[in-house]
């Protein structure tokens, strides 16, 4: 269940469950706890398939947050959930999360990679900053390609990576 660390997976999971239990009883009013719990329960459910974690995930998914890193936590939670293959996964929740992931991949990677003059796929509203052009931001498209096999996600990822590795609009 855990790449490269099979002998430690049970111990790590037990520690994660303990940490989750502690955190679930030690937060203060006003904390952005549901956002962190969404991320945690997605991975706890992915590992264990326990419906308790899926329940927490489904409830916290309905809530929103504008706290720092909330969007990133939410994305990783969604990706963890949609790449889970337990028989007891809630199909409606998975479809909802898949829609979130698909919209992100289409809007932040595929569409910009097709329409930008320099063919890099990343959010239209993300400014081009010093150092920003060092890492292709293609994770949303790669996840969708893995799940759907749709070539547009792979193509947008390759085009974006080509740009970051020195490509240019003329491909020379």
């Amino acid at each position: 269940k855990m790449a490269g660390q099979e002998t430690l997976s049970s111990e790590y999971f037990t520690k994660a469950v303990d940490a989750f239990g502690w955190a679930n009883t030690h937060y203060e009013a006003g904390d952005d706890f549901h956002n962190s719990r969404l991320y945690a329960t997605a991975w706890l459910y992915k590992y264990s398939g326990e419906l308790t974690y899926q329940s927490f995930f489904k409830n916290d998914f309905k809530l929103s947050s504008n706290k720092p890193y909330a969007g990133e936590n939410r994305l990783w939670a969604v990706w963890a959930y949609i790449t889970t293959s337990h028989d007891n996964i809630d199909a409606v929740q998975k479809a909802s999360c898949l829609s979130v992931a698909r919209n992100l991949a289409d809007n932040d990677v595929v569409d910009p990679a097709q329409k930008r003059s320099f063919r890099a796929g990343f959010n239209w509203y993300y400014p081009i900053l010093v150092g920003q052009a060092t890492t292709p931001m293609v994770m949303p498209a790669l996840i969708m390609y893995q799940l759907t096999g749709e070539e547009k996600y792979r193509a947008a990822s390759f085009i974006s990576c080509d740009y970051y590795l020195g490509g240019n609009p003329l491909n020379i």
Side-chain angles (χ1 to χ4, degrees):
K1 287 189 174 188
M2 194 166 103
Q5 296 294 326
E6 193 64 36
T7 58
L8 297 174
S9 63
S10 179
E11 181 181 346
Y12 287 162
F13 181 72
T14 299
K15 290 182 183 290
V17 168
D18 290 347
F20 176 79
W22 180 89
N24 222 11
T25 57
H26 289 84
Y27 64 94
E28 296 179 13
D31 282 351
D32 187 30
F33 183 66
H34 69 275
N35 182 52
S36 299
R37 187 172 55 198
L38 178 75
Y39 181 68
T41 56
W43 287 98
L44 289 169
Y45 173 68
K46 183 179 182 76
Y47 181 84
S48 71
E50 292 180 27
L51 291 175
T52 301
Y53 300 120
Q54 182 173 231
S55 256
F56 274 112
F57 178 86
K58 288 168 55 176
N59 289 331
D60 290 340
F61 184 79
K62 297 172 191 169
L63 305 172
S64 63
S65 174
N66 60 0
K67 301 285 186 176
Y69 306 108
E72 290 296 318
N73 280 353
R74 188 170 181 83
L75 289 178
W76 282 98
V78 163
W79 293 335
Y81 191 79
I82 62 176
T83 56
T84 299
S85 57
H86 296 298
D87 292 336
N88 64 357
I89 195 164
D90 183 306
V92 172
Q93 182 65 53
K94 186 171 183 176
S96 178
C97 288
L98 192 58
S99 178
V100 168
R102 180 182 298 278
N103 287 339
L104 179 71
D106 287 343
N107 294 328
D108 276 14
V109 183
V110 174
D111 189 52
Q114 292 172 345
K115 294 179 180 174
R116 268 201 177 99
S117 61
F118 53 94
R119 302 172 299 136
F122 62 90
N123 185 300
W124 281 107
Y125 303 103
Y126 190 83
I128 297 175
L129 304 168
V130 175
Q132 170 271 338
T134 61
T135 307
M137 294 180 241
V138 295
M139 187 69 160
L142 294 175
I143 296 274
M144 287 310 299
Y145 177 71
Q146 180 67 33
L147 290 172
T148 68
E150 291 180 47
E151 184 58 31
K152 69 179 182 178
Y153 297 115
R154 184 173 155 215
S157 297
F158 280 5
I159 284 172
S160 296
C161 290
D162 285 347
Y163 171 76
Y164 284 97
L165 293 171
N168 56 60
L170 297 176
N171 203 27
I172 55 175

